[in-house]
Amino acid sequence: FSIASGNLALFYPNGEQFTSYVETAVQRDRERQEKEFAQQERDLQKQRADRERQEKEFAQQQRDLAQQQRDLAEATLEEERRKNQQLRDR
């Protein structure tokens, strides 16, 4: 232990100073806040990844739908051509 400026300081055998209740509480609150912040960061990263995946899926669905519409238009056009050809052949 030591006394400096009228304050008593206690030390562990390894030389590390004991902390007061207030210092311990402040440290505990800081660690809790750091953990919460880290969890929020992980949650945010997951949300970003989910949003990116959903955007990619939506874009693929849009491409698929556009292809289906082109295929349907082509099939309809081909059917009309076939009907017109049958009418001409009569």
Side-chain angles (χ1 to χ4, degrees):
F1 72 94
S2 72
I3 297 177
S5 302
N7 293 323
L8 175 64
L10 299 176
F11 297 89
Y12 289 101
N14 67 1
E16 182 181 345
Q17 185 175 354
F18 278 94
T19 57
S20 71
Y21 174 78
V22 173
E23 291 169 327
T24 302
V26 167
Q27 180 63 29
R28 186 176 49 243
D29 287 346
R30 184 178 305 124
E31 290 172 358
R32 180 186 50 78
Q33 289 174 346
E34 288 172 357
K35 287 179 183 178
E36 287 175 1
F37 180 75
Q39 183 62 47
Q40 290 171 351
E41 284 293 312
R42 287 189 297 273
D43 292 346
L44 184 59
Q45 288 290 2
K46 183 180 182 310
Q47 289 172 356
R48 287 178 182 152
D50 289 346
R51 185 180 66 235
E52 183 177 324
R53 179 188 48 77
Q54 288 172 346
E55 288 172 353
K56 287 179 181 179
E57 287 175 1
F58 180 73
Q60 184 61 48
Q61 289 171 351
Q62 292 295 92
R63 288 190 295 273
D64 292 346
L65 179 60
Q67 183 62 48
Q68 289 172 356
Q69 290 172 338
R70 285 190 297 272
D71 292 346
L72 179 59
E74 186 177 323
T76 302
L77 181 59
E78 187 60 37
E79 180 64 22
E80 288 298 320
R81 286 180 181 156
R82 187 184 60 74
K83 286 181 182 177
N84 286 339
Q85 185 63 39
Q86 285 176 349
L87 288 174
R88 279 188 230 125
D89 290 346
R90 289 185 181 175

Coordinates of all heavy atoms in Angstrom, one line a residue:
F1 N 0.8 -1.2 0.0 CA 0.0 0.0 0.0 C 0.9 1.2 0.0 O 2.1 1.2 0.3 CB -1.0 0.0 1.2 CG -0.3 0.2 2.5 CD1 -0.3 1.5 3.0 CD2 0.2 -0.8 3.3 CE1 0.3 1.8 4.3 CE2 0.8 -0.5 4.5 CZ 0.9 0.8 5.0
S2 N 0.2 2.4 -0.3 CA 1.0 3.6 -0.3 C 0.0 4.7 0.1 O -1.2 4.6 -0.2 CB 1.7 3.9 -1.6 OG 0.8 4.3 -2.6
I3 N 0.5 5.8 0.6 CA -0.4 7.0 0.9 C 0.3 8.1 0.1 O 1.4 8.5 0.3 CB -0.4 7.3 2.4 CG1 -1.0 6.1 3.1 CG2 -1.2 8.5 2.7 CD1 -1.1 6.3 4.6
A4 N -0.5 8.7 -0.8 CA -0.1 9.9 -1.5 C -1.2 10.9 -1.5 O -2.4 10.6 -1.7 CB 0.2 9.5 -3.0
S5 N -0.8 12.1 -1.2 CA -1.8 13.2 -1.1 C -2.9 12.9 -0.2 O -4.1 13.2 -0.5 CB -2.3 13.6 -2.5 OG -1.2 13.9 -3.3
G6 N -2.7 12.2 0.9 CA -3.7 11.8 1.8 C -4.7 10.7 1.4 O -5.6 10.4 2.0
N7 N -4.4 10.1 0.2 CA -5.2 9.0 -0.3 C -4.5 7.6 -0.1 O -3.3 7.5 -0.4 CB -5.5 9.1 -1.8 CG -6.4 10.3 -2.0 OD1 -7.3 10.6 -1.3 ND2 -6.2 11.0 -3.1
L8 N -5.2 6.7 0.3 CA -4.6 5.3 0.5 C -4.8 4.6 -0.8 O -5.8 4.5 -1.4 CB -5.4 4.6 1.6 CG -5.0 3.1 1.9 CD1 -3.5 3.1 2.3 CD2 -5.9 2.5 2.9
A9 N -3.7 4.0 -1.2 CA -3.7 3.2 -2.4 C -3.3 1.8 -2.0 O -2.2 1.6 -1.4 CB -2.8 3.7 -3.5
L10 N -4.1 0.8 -2.4 CA -3.8 -0.6 -2.1 C -3.4 -1.3 -3.4 O -3.9 -1.0 -4.5 CB -5.0 -1.3 -1.5 CG -5.5 -0.7 -0.2 CD1 -6.7 -1.4 0.3 CD2 -4.4 -0.8 0.9
F11 N -2.5 -2.3 -3.3 CA -1.9 -2.9 -4.5 C -2.0 -4.5 -4.3 O -1.9 -5.0 -3.2 CB -0.5 -2.5 -4.7 CG -0.3 -1.1 -5.0 CD1 -0.1 -0.2 -4.0 CD2 -0.4 -0.6 -6.3 CE1 0.0 1.2 -4.3 CE2 -0.3 0.7 -6.6 CZ -0.1 1.6 -5.6
Y12 N -2.2 -5.2 -5.4 CA -2.2 -6.6 -5.4 C -0.7 -7.0 -5.3 O 0.2 -6.2 -5.5 CB -2.7 -7.2 -6.7 CG -4.2 -7.1 -6.8 CD1 -4.8 -6.1 -7.6 CD2 -5.1 -8.0 -6.2 CE1 -6.2 -6.0 -7.7 CE2 -6.4 -7.9 -6.3 CZ -7.0 -6.9 -7.1 OH -8.4 -6.8 -7.2
P13 N -0.4 -8.3 -5.0 CA 1.0 -8.7 -4.9 C 1.7 -8.5 -6.2 O 3.0 -8.3 -6.2 CB 0.9 -10.2 -4.6 CG -0.4 -10.3 -3.8 CD -1.3 -9.3 -4.5
N14 N 1.0 -8.5 -7.4 CA 1.7 -8.3 -8.6 C 1.9 -6.8 -9.0 O 2.4 -6.5 -10.0 CB 0.9 -9.0 -9.8 CG -0.4 -8.3 -10.0 OD1 -0.8 -7.3 -9.4 ND2 -1.2 -8.8 -11.0
G15 N 1.6 -5.9 -8.0 CA 1.8 -4.5 -8.2 C 0.7 -3.7 -8.8 O 0.7 -2.5 -8.9
E16 N -0.4 -4.5 -9.2 CA -1.5 -3.8 -9.8 C -2.4 -3.2 -8.7 O -2.6 -3.8 -7.6 CB -2.4 -4.8 -10.6 CG -3.6 -4.2 -11.3 CD -4.4 -5.3 -12.0 OE1 -3.9 -6.4 -12.2 OE2 -5.6 -5.0 -12.3
Q17 N -2.8 -1.9 -9.0 CA -3.6 -1.2 -7.9 C -5.0 -1.7 -7.8 O -5.6 -2.0 -8.9 CB -3.5 0.3 -8.2 CG -4.2 1.1 -7.1 CD -4.1 2.6 -7.4 OE1 -3.4 3.0 -8.3 NE2 -4.7 3.4 -6.5
F18 N -5.5 -1.8 -6.6 CA -6.9 -2.2 -6.4 C -7.8 -1.0 -7.0 O -7.3 0.2 -6.9 CB -7.3 -2.3 -4.9 CG -7.0 -3.6 -4.3 CD1 -5.7 -3.8 -3.7 CD2 -7.9 -4.6 -4.4 CE1 -5.5 -5.0 -3.1 CE2 -7.6 -5.9 -3.8 CZ -6.4 -6.1 -3.2
T19 N -8.9 -1.3 -7.5 CA -9.8 -0.3 -8.0 C -10.9 0.0 -7.0 O -11.3 -1.0 -6.3 CB -10.4 -0.6 -9.4 OG1 -11.1 -1.8 -9.3 CG2 -9.3 -0.7 -10.5
S20 N -11.4 1.2 -7.0 CA -12.5 1.5 -6.2 C -13.8 0.9 -6.7 O -13.9 0.5 -7.9 CB -12.7 3.0 -6.0 OG -13.1 3.6 -7.2
Y21 N -14.9 0.9 -5.9 CA -16.2 0.4 -6.4 C -16.6 1.3 -7.6 O -17.1 0.7 -8.6 CB -17.2 0.5 -5.3 CG -18.6 0.2 -5.8 CD1 -19.0 -1.1 -6.0 CD2 -19.5 1.2 -6.1 CE1 -20.2 -1.4 -6.5 CE2 -20.8 0.9 -6.6 CZ -21.1 -0.4 -6.7 OH -22.4 -0.7 -7.2
V22 N -16.4 2.6 -7.5 CA -16.8 3.5 -8.6 C -16.0 3.1 -9.9 O -16.6 3.0 -11.0 CB -16.7 4.9 -8.2 CG1 -16.9 5.9 -9.4 CG2 -17.6 5.3 -7.1
E23 N -14.7 3.0 -9.7 CA -13.9 2.6 -10.9 C -14.3 1.3 -11.5 O -14.4 1.1 -12.7 CB -12.4 2.6 -10.5 CG -11.9 4.0 -10.2 CD -10.5 3.9 -9.5 OE1 -10.2 2.9 -8.8 OE2 -9.7 4.8 -9.8
T24 N -14.6 0.3 -10.6 CA -15.1 -1.0 -11.1 C -16.4 -0.9 -11.8 O -16.6 -1.5 -12.9 CB -15.2 -2.0 -9.9 OG1 -13.9 -2.1 -9.3 CG2 -15.6 -3.3 -10.4
A25 N -17.3 -0.1 -11.3 CA -18.6 0.1 -11.9 C -18.5 0.8 -13.2 O -19.2 0.4 -14.2 CB -19.6 0.9 -11.0
V26 N -17.7 1.8 -13.3 CA -17.4 2.5 -14.6 C -16.9 1.5 -15.6 O -17.3 1.5 -16.8 CB -16.5 3.7 -14.4 CG1 -16.0 4.3 -15.7 CG2 -17.3 4.8 -13.6
Q27 N -15.9 0.8 -15.2 CA -15.3 -0.2 -16.1 C -16.3 -1.2 -16.6 O -16.3 -1.6 -17.8 CB -14.1 -0.9 -15.5 CG -13.4 -1.9 -16.3 CD -12.8 -1.3 -17.6 OE1 -12.4 -0.1 -17.6 NE2 -12.7 -2.1 -18.7
R28 N -17.1 -1.7 -15.7 CA -18.1 -2.7 -16.0 C -19.1 -2.1 -17.0 O -19.5 -2.7 -18.0 CB -18.9 -3.2 -14.8 CG -19.8 -4.3 -15.0 CD -20.5 -4.8 -13.7 NE -21.0 -3.8 -12.9 CZ -20.5 -3.5 -11.6 NH1 -19.6 -4.2 -11.1 NH2 -21.1 -2.5 -10.9
D29 N -19.5 -0.8 -16.8 CA -20.5 -0.2 -17.7 C -19.8 0.0 -19.1 O -20.5 -0.2 -20.1 CB -20.9 1.2 -17.2 CG -21.9 1.1 -16.0 OD1 -22.4 -0.1 -15.8 OD2 -22.1 2.1 -15.3
R30 N -18.5 0.4 -19.1 CA -17.8 0.6 -20.4 C -17.8 -0.7 -21.1 O -18.0 -0.8 -22.4 CB -16.4 1.1 -20.1 CG -15.7 1.4 -21.4 CD -14.3 2.0 -21.1 NE -14.3 3.1 -20.2 CZ -13.7 3.3 -19.1 NH1 -12.9 2.3 -18.7 NH2 -13.7 4.4 -18.4
E31 N -17.4 -1.8 -20.4 CA -17.4 -3.1 -21.1 C -18.7 -3.6 -21.6 O -18.8 -4.1 -22.7 CB -16.8 -4.2 -20.1 CG -15.4 -4.0 -19.8 CD -14.8 -4.9 -18.7 OE1 -15.7 -5.7 -18.1 OE2 -13.6 -4.8 -18.4
R32 N -19.8 -3.3 -20.8 CA -21.2 -3.6 -21.3 C -21.5 -2.8 -22.6 O -22.0 -3.4 -23.5 CB -22.2 -3.3 -20.2 CG -23.6 -3.6 -20.6 CD -24.6 -3.2 -19.5 NE -24.4 -1.8 -19.1 CZ -24.8 -0.7 -19.8 NH1 -25.4 -0.9 -20.9 NH2 -24.6 0.5 -19.3
Q33 N -21.2 -1.5 -22.6 CA -21.5 -0.7 -23.7 C -20.7 -1.2 -24.9 O -21.2 -1.2 -26.1 CB -21.1 0.8 -23.4 CG -22.1 1.4 -22.4 CD -21.7 2.8 -22.0 OE1 -20.5 3.2 -22.3 NE2 -22.6 3.5 -21.4
E34 N -19.4 -1.6 -24.7 CA -18.6 -2.1 -25.8 C -19.2 -3.4 -26.4 O -19.3 -3.6 -27.6 CB -17.2 -2.3 -25.4 CG -16.4 -1.0 -25.1 CD -15.1 -1.2 -24.5 OE1 -14.7 -2.4 -24.2 OE2 -14.3 -0.2 -24.3
K35 N -19.7 -4.2 -25.5 CA -20.3 -5.5 -26.0 C -21.6 -5.2 -26.8 O -21.9 -5.8 -27.8 CB -20.7 -6.4 -24.8 CG -19.4 -7.1 -24.2 CD -19.8 -7.9 -23.0 CE -18.6 -8.6 -22.3 NZ -19.0 -9.4 -21.2
E36 N -22.4 -4.2 -26.2 CA -23.6 -3.9 -26.9 C -23.3 -3.3 -28.3 O -24.0 -3.6 -29.3 CB -24.5 -2.9 -26.1 CG -25.1 -3.5 -24.9 CD -25.8 -2.5 -24.0 OE1 -25.8 -1.3 -24.3 OE2 -26.4 -2.9 -23.0
F37 N -22.3 -2.4 -28.3 CA -21.9 -1.8 -29.6 C -21.5 -2.9 -30.6 O -21.9 -2.9 -31.8 CB -20.8 -0.8 -29.4 CG -20.4 -0.1 -30.6 CD1 -21.1 0.8 -31.3 CD2 -19.2 -0.5 -31.2 CE1 -20.7 1.5 -32.4 CE2 -18.7 0.1 -32.4 CZ -19.5 1.1 -33.0
A38 N -20.7 -3.8 -30.1 CA -20.2 -4.9 -31.0 C -21.4 -5.7 -31.5 O -21.4 -6.1 -32.7 CB -19.2 -5.8 -30.3
Q39 N -22.4 -6.0 -30.6 CA -23.5 -6.7 -31.1 C -24.3 -6.0 -32.1 O -24.8 -6.5 -33.1 CB -24.4 -7.1 -29.9 CG -25.6 -7.9 -30.2 CD -25.3 -9.3 -30.8 OE1 -24.4 -10.0 -30.3 NE2 -25.9 -9.6 -31.9
Q40 N -24.5 -4.7 -31.9 CA -25.2 -3.8 -32.8 C -24.5 -3.8 -34.2 O -25.1 -3.9 -35.2 CB -25.3 -2.4 -32.3 CG -26.3 -2.3 -31.2 CD -26.2 -0.9 -30.5 OE1 -25.4 -0.1 -30.8 NE2 -27.2 -0.6 -29.6
E41 N -23.2 -3.8 -34.2 CA -22.4 -3.8 -35.4 C -22.6 -5.2 -36.1 O -22.8 -5.2 -37.4 CB -20.9 -3.6 -35.1 CG -20.5 -2.2 -34.8 CD -20.7 -1.3 -36.1 OE1 -20.2 -1.7 -37.2 OE2 -21.3 -0.3 -35.9
R42 N -22.6 -6.3 -35.4 CA -22.9 -7.6 -36.0 C -24.3 -7.6 -36.6 O -24.5 -8.1 -37.7 CB -22.7 -8.7 -35.0 CG -21.2 -9.0 -34.6 CD -21.1 -10.2 -33.8 NE -21.7 -10.2 -32.5 CZ -21.2 -9.6 -31.4 NH1 -20.0 -9.2 -31.4 NH2 -21.9 -9.6 -30.3
D43 N -25.3 -7.1 -35.8 CA -26.6 -7.1 -36.3 C -26.7 -6.2 -37.6 O -27.4 -6.6 -38.5 CB -27.6 -6.5 -35.3 CG -27.7 -7.4 -34.1 OD1 -27.3 -8.6 -34.1 OD2 -28.3 -6.9 -33.0
L44 N -26.1 -5.1 -37.6 CA -26.1 -4.2 -38.8 C -25.5 -4.9 -40.0 O -26.0 -4.9 -41.1 CB -25.4 -2.9 -38.5 CG -25.4 -1.9 -39.6 CD1 -26.8 -1.5 -39.9 CD2 -24.6 -0.6 -39.1
Q45 N -24.4 -5.6 -39.8 CA -23.7 -6.3 -40.9 C -24.6 -7.4 -41.4 O -24.7 -7.6 -42.6 CB -22.4 -7.0 -40.4 CG -21.3 -6.0 -40.2 CD -20.8 -5.4 -41.5 OE1 -21.3 -5.6 -42.6 NE2 -19.8 -4.5 -41.4
K46 N -25.3 -8.1 -40.5 CA -26.3 -9.2 -40.9 C -27.4 -8.6 -41.7 O -27.8 -9.1 -42.8 CB -26.8 -9.9 -39.7 CG -27.7 -11.1 -40.1 CD -28.2 -11.8 -38.9 CE -29.1 -13.0 -39.2 NZ -30.1 -12.7 -40.2
Q47 N -27.9 -7.4 -41.3 CA -29.0 -6.8 -42.0 C -28.6 -6.3 -43.4 O -29.3 -6.5 -44.4 CB -29.5 -5.5 -41.2 CG -30.3 -5.9 -40.0 CD -30.6 -4.7 -39.1 OE1 -30.2 -3.6 -39.4 NE2 -31.3 -4.9 -38.0
R48 N -27.3 -5.8 -43.5 CA -26.8 -5.4 -44.8 C -26.7 -6.6 -45.7 O -27.0 -6.6 -46.9 CB -25.5 -4.7 -44.6 CG -25.5 -3.4 -44.0 CD -24.1 -2.8 -43.9 NE -24.2 -1.5 -43.3 CZ -23.3 -0.9 -42.5 NH1 -22.2 -1.6 -42.3 NH2 -23.4 0.3 -42.0
A49 N -26.2 -7.7 -45.2 CA -26.0 -8.9 -46.0 C -27.4 -9.5 -46.4 O -27.5 -9.9 -47.6 CB -25.2 -10.0 -45.2
D50 N -28.3 -9.5 -45.5 CA -29.7 -9.9 -45.9 C -30.3 -9.0 -46.9 O -30.9 -9.5 -47.9 CB -30.6 -9.9 -44.6 CG -30.3 -11.0 -43.6 OD1 -29.5 -12.0 -44.0 OD2 -30.7 -11.0 -42.5
R51 N -30.1 -7.7 -46.8 CA -30.7 -6.8 -47.8 C -30.0 -7.0 -49.1 O -30.7 -7.1 -50.2 CB -30.5 -5.4 -47.3 CG -31.2 -4.4 -48.3 CD -31.0 -2.9 -47.9 NE -29.6 -2.5 -47.9 CZ -28.9 -2.0 -47.0 NH1 -29.5 -1.8 -45.8 NH2 -27.7 -1.7 -47.1
E52 N -28.7 -7.2 -49.1 CA -28.0 -7.4 -50.4 C -28.5 -8.7 -51.1 O -28.7 -8.8 -52.3 CB -26.5 -7.5 -50.1 CG -25.7 -7.7 -51.4 CD -24.2 -7.7 -51.1 OE1 -23.8 -6.9 -50.2 OE2 -23.5 -8.4 -51.8
R53 N -28.7 -9.8 -50.2 CA -29.2 -11.0 -50.8 C -30.6 -10.9 -51.3 O -30.9 -11.3 -52.4 CB -29.2 -12.1 -49.7 CG -29.7 -13.5 -50.1 CD -29.9 -14.4 -48.9 NE -30.6 -13.9 -47.8 CZ -31.9 -13.7 -47.7 NH1 -32.6 -14.1 -48.7 NH2 -32.5 -13.2 -46.6
Q54 N -31.4 -10.2 -50.6 CA -32.8 -9.9 -51.1 C -32.8 -9.1 -52.4 O -33.6 -9.4 -53.3 CB -33.6 -9.2 -50.0 CG -33.9 -10.1 -48.8 CD -34.6 -9.4 -47.7 OE1 -34.6 -8.1 -47.7 NE2 -35.2 -10.1 -46.8
E55 N -31.9 -8.1 -52.5 CA -31.9 -7.3 -53.7 C -31.4 -8.2 -54.9 O -31.9 -8.0 -56.0 CB -30.9 -6.1 -53.5 CG -31.5 -5.1 -52.6 CD -30.5 -4.0 -52.2 OE1 -29.3 -4.1 -52.6 OE2 -30.9 -3.0 -51.6
K56 N -30.5 -9.1 -54.6 CA -30.0 -9.9 -55.7 C -31.1 -10.9 -56.1 O -31.3 -11.1 -57.3 CB -28.8 -10.7 -55.3 CG -27.5 -9.9 -55.2 CD -26.3 -10.7 -54.8 CE -25.1 -9.9 -54.7 NZ -23.9 -10.7 -54.2
E57 N -31.8 -11.4 -55.1 CA -32.9 -12.3 -55.5 C -34.0 -11.6 -56.3 O -34.6 -12.1 -57.2 CB -33.5 -12.9 -54.2 CG -32.7 -14.0 -53.5 CD -33.2 -14.5 -52.2 OE1 -34.3 -14.0 -51.8 OE2 -32.6 -15.3 -51.5
F58 N -34.3 -10.4 -55.8 CA -35.3 -9.6 -56.5 C -34.9 -9.3 -58.0 O -35.7 -9.4 -58.9 CB -35.6 -8.3 -55.8 CG -36.6 -7.4 -56.4 CD1 -38.0 -7.8 -56.4 CD2 -36.3 -6.3 -57.1 CE1 -38.9 -7.0 -57.0 CE2 -37.2 -5.5 -57.7 CZ -38.6 -5.8 -57.7
A59 N -33.6 -8.9 -58.2 CA -33.1 -8.7 -59.5 C -33.2 -9.9 -60.4 O -33.6 -9.8 -61.5 CB -31.7 -8.2 -59.4
Q60 N -32.9 -11.1 -59.8 CA -33.0 -12.3 -60.5 C -34.5 -12.6 -60.9 O -34.8 -13.1 -62.0 CB -32.4 -13.5 -59.8 CG -32.4 -14.8 -60.5 CD -31.6 -14.7 -61.8 OE1 -30.5 -14.3 -61.8 NE2 -32.2 -15.2 -62.9
Q61 N -35.4 -12.4 -59.9 CA -36.8 -12.6 -60.2 C -37.3 -11.7 -61.3 O -38.1 -12.1 -62.2 CB -37.6 -12.4 -59.0 CG -37.5 -13.4 -57.9 CD -38.1 -13.1 -56.6 OE1 -38.6 -11.9 -56.4 NE2 -38.2 -14.0 -55.7
Q62 N -36.8 -10.4 -61.3 CA -37.2 -9.5 -62.4 C -36.6 -10.0 -63.8 O -37.3 -9.9 -64.8 CB -36.6 -8.1 -62.1 CG -37.2 -7.4 -60.9 CD -38.7 -7.1 -61.1 OE1 -39.6 -7.9 -60.8 NE2 -39.0 -6.0 -61.7
R63 N -35.4 -10.5 -63.8 CA -34.8 -11.0 -65.0 C -35.6 -12.2 -65.5 O -35.9 -12.4 -66.7 CB -33.4 -11.4 -64.9 CG -32.5 -10.2 -64.7 CD -31.0 -10.6 -64.8 NE -30.6 -11.4 -63.7 CZ -30.1 -10.9 -62.5 NH1 -30.0 -9.6 -62.3 NH2 -29.8 -11.7 -61.6
D64 N -36.0 -13.1 -64.5 CA -36.8 -14.3 -64.9 C -38.1 -13.9 -65.4 O -38.6 -14.5 -66.4 CB -36.9 -15.2 -63.7 CG -35.6 -15.9 -63.2 OD1 -34.6 -15.8 -64.0 OD2 -35.6 -16.4 -62.1
L65 N -38.8 -13.0 -64.8 CA -40.1 -12.5 -65.3 C -40.0 -11.9 -66.7 O -40.8 -12.2 -67.5 CB -40.7 -11.5 -64.3 CG -42.0 -10.9 -64.6 CD1 -43.1 -12.0 -64.8 CD2 -42.5 -9.9 -63.6
A66 N -39.0 -11.1 -66.9 CA -38.8 -10.5 -68.2 C -38.6 -11.6 -69.3 O -39.1 -11.5 -70.4 CB -37.6 -9.5 -68.2
Q67 N -37.8 -12.6 -68.9 CA -37.6 -13.7 -69.9 C -38.9 -14.5 -70.1 O -39.2 -14.8 -71.3 CB -36.5 -14.7 -69.3 CG -36.2 -15.8 -70.3 CD -35.6 -15.3 -71.6 OE1 -34.7 -14.4 -71.6 NE2 -36.1 -15.7 -72.7
Q68 N -39.7 -14.7 -69.1 CA -41.0 -15.4 -69.3 C -41.9 -14.5 -70.2 O -42.6 -15.1 -71.0 CB -41.6 -15.6 -67.9 CG -41.0 -16.6 -67.1 CD -41.6 -16.7 -65.7 OE1 -42.4 -15.9 -65.3 NE2 -41.1 -17.7 -64.9
Q69 N -41.9 -13.2 -70.0 CA -42.7 -12.3 -70.9 C -42.2 -12.4 -72.3 O -43.0 -12.4 -73.2 CB -42.7 -10.9 -70.3 CG -43.4 -10.8 -69.0 CD -43.2 -9.4 -68.4 OE1 -42.3 -8.7 -68.7 NE2 -44.2 -9.0 -67.5
R70 N -40.9 -12.4 -72.5 CA -40.4 -12.5 -73.9 C -40.7 -13.8 -74.5 O -41.2 -13.9 -75.7 CB -38.8 -12.3 -73.9 CG -38.4 -10.9 -73.7 CD -36.9 -10.7 -73.9 NE -36.1 -11.5 -73.0 CZ -35.7 -11.1 -71.8 NH1 -36.0 -9.9 -71.4 NH2 -34.9 -11.9 -71.0
D71 N -40.6 -14.9 -73.7 CA -41.0 -16.2 -74.2 C -42.5 -16.3 -74.6 O -42.8 -16.9 -75.6 CB -40.6 -17.3 -73.2 CG -39.2 -17.5 -72.9 OD1 -38.4 -17.0 -73.7 OD2 -38.8 -18.1 -71.9
L72 N -43.3 -15.7 -73.7 CA -44.7 -15.7 -74.0 C -45.0 -14.9 -75.2 O -45.8 -15.3 -76.1 CB -45.5 -15.2 -72.8 CG -47.0 -15.1 -72.9 CD1 -47.6 -16.5 -73.2 CD2 -47.6 -14.5 -71.7
A73 N -44.4 -13.8 -75.4 CA -44.6 -12.9 -76.5 C -44.2 -13.7 -77.8 O -44.9 -13.6 -78.8 CB -43.9 -11.6 -76.4
E74 N -43.1 -14.3 -77.7 CA -42.6 -15.1 -78.9 C -43.5 -16.2 -79.2 O -43.8 -16.5 -80.4 CB -41.2 -15.6 -78.6 CG -40.5 -16.3 -79.7 CD -39.1 -16.8 -79.4 OE1 -38.4 -16.0 -78.7 OE2 -38.7 -17.8 -79.9
A75 N -44.0 -17.0 -78.2 CA -44.9 -18.1 -78.4 C -46.2 -17.6 -79.0 O -46.8 -18.2 -79.9 CB -45.2 -18.8 -77.1
T76 N -46.7 -16.4 -78.5 CA -48.0 -15.8 -79.1 C -47.8 -15.4 -80.5 O -48.6 -15.7 -81.4 CB -48.4 -14.6 -78.2 OG1 -48.6 -15.1 -76.8 CG2 -49.7 -14.0 -78.7
L77 N -46.6 -14.8 -80.8 CA -46.3 -14.4 -82.2 C -46.2 -15.6 -83.1 O -46.8 -15.6 -84.2 CB -45.0 -13.6 -82.2 CG -44.6 -13.0 -83.5 CD1 -45.7 -12.1 -84.1 CD2 -43.3 -12.3 -83.4
E78 N -45.6 -16.6 -82.6 CA -45.4 -17.8 -83.4 C -46.8 -18.5 -83.7 O -47.1 -18.9 -84.8 CB -44.5 -18.8 -82.7 CG -44.2 -20.0 -83.5 CD -43.4 -19.7 -84.8 OE1 -42.6 -18.7 -84.9 OE2 -43.7 -20.4 -85.9
E79 N -47.7 -18.5 -82.7 CA -49.0 -19.0 -82.8 C -49.8 -18.2 -83.9 O -50.5 -18.8 -84.7 CB -49.8 -19.0 -81.5 CG -51.2 -19.6 -81.5 CD -51.2 -21.0 -81.9 OE1 -50.2 -21.8 -81.8 OE2 -52.3 -21.5 -82.4
E80 N -49.7 -16.9 -83.8 CA -50.4 -16.0 -84.8 C -49.8 -16.3 -86.2 O -50.6 -16.3 -87.1 CB -50.2 -14.5 -84.4 CG -51.0 -14.1 -83.2 CD -52.5 -14.2 -83.4 OE1 -53.0 -13.9 -84.5 OE2 -53.2 -14.7 -82.4
R81 N -48.6 -16.4 -86.3 CA -48.0 -16.7 -87.6 C -48.5 -18.1 -88.2 O -48.8 -18.2 -89.3 CB -46.5 -16.8 -87.5 CG -45.8 -15.4 -87.4 CD -44.3 -15.5 -87.3 NE -43.7 -14.2 -87.1 CZ -42.5 -14.0 -86.6 NH1 -41.8 -15.1 -86.1 NH2 -42.1 -12.8 -86.4
R82 N -48.6 -19.1 -87.3 CA -49.1 -20.4 -87.7 C -50.5 -20.3 -88.1 O -50.9 -20.8 -89.2 CB -48.9 -21.4 -86.5 CG -49.3 -22.8 -86.9 CD -49.2 -23.7 -85.7 NE -50.1 -23.4 -84.6 CZ -51.4 -23.6 -84.7 NH1 -52.0 -24.1 -85.7 NH2 -52.2 -23.3 -83.7
K83 N -51.3 -19.5 -87.4 CA -52.8 -19.4 -87.7 C -52.9 -18.6 -89.1 O -53.7 -19.0 -89.9 CB -53.5 -18.6 -86.7 CG -53.8 -19.4 -85.4 CD -54.6 -18.6 -84.4 CE -54.8 -19.4 -83.1 NZ -55.5 -18.6 -82.1
N84 N -52.1 -17.6 -89.3 CA -52.1 -16.9 -90.5 C -51.7 -17.8 -91.7 O -52.3 -17.7 -92.8 CB -51.3 -15.6 -90.4 CG -51.9 -14.5 -89.6 OD1 -53.1 -14.5 -89.4 ND2 -51.0 -13.6 -89.1
Q85 N -50.7 -18.6 -91.5 CA -50.2 -19.5 -92.5 C -51.3 -20.5 -92.9 O -51.6 -20.8 -94.0 CB -49.0 -20.2 -92.1 CG -48.4 -21.1 -93.1 CD -47.9 -20.3 -94.3 OE1 -47.4 -19.1 -94.2 NE2 -48.1 -20.8 -95.5
Q86 N -52.1 -21.0 -91.8 CA -53.1 -21.9 -92.1 C -54.3 -21.3 -92.9 O -54.9 -21.9 -93.8 CB -53.7 -22.5 -90.8 CG -52.8 -23.5 -90.1 CD -53.4 -23.9 -88.7 OE1 -54.3 -23.3 -88.2 NE2 -52.8 -24.9 -88.1
L87 N -54.5 -20.0 -92.6 CA -55.6 -19.3 -93.3 C -55.2 -19.1 -94.8 O -56.0 -19.2 -95.7 CB -55.9 -18.0 -92.7 CG -56.6 -18.0 -91.3 CD1 -56.7 -16.6 -90.7 CD2 -58.0 -18.6 -91.5
R88 N -53.9 -18.8 -95.0 CA -53.4 -18.6 -96.4 C -53.4 -20.0 -97.1 O -53.6 -20.0 -98.3 CB -52.0 -18.1 -96.4 CG -52.0 -16.6 -96.1 CD -50.6 -16.0 -96.3 NE -50.3 -15.3 -95.1 CZ -49.3 -15.4 -94.3 NH1 -48.3 -16.3 -94.6 NH2 -49.1 -14.6 -93.3
D89 N -53.2 -21.0 -96.4 CA -53.1 -22.3 -97.1 C -54.5 -22.9 -97.5 O -54.6 -23.8 -98.2 CB -52.4 -23.4 -96.2 CG -51.0 -23.1 -96.0 OD1 -50.4 -22.3 -96.8 OD2 -50.3 -23.6 -95.1
R90 N -55.6 -22.3 -97.0 CA -56.9 -22.8 -97.3 C -57.3 -22.4 -98.6 O -57.3 -21.8 -99.5 CB -57.9 -22.2 -96.3 CG -57.8 -22.9 -95.0 CD -58.9 -22.4 -94.1 NE -58.7 -23.0 -92.8 CZ -59.5 -22.7 -91.7 NH1 -60.5 -21.9 -91.9 NH2 -59.3 -23.2 -90.6

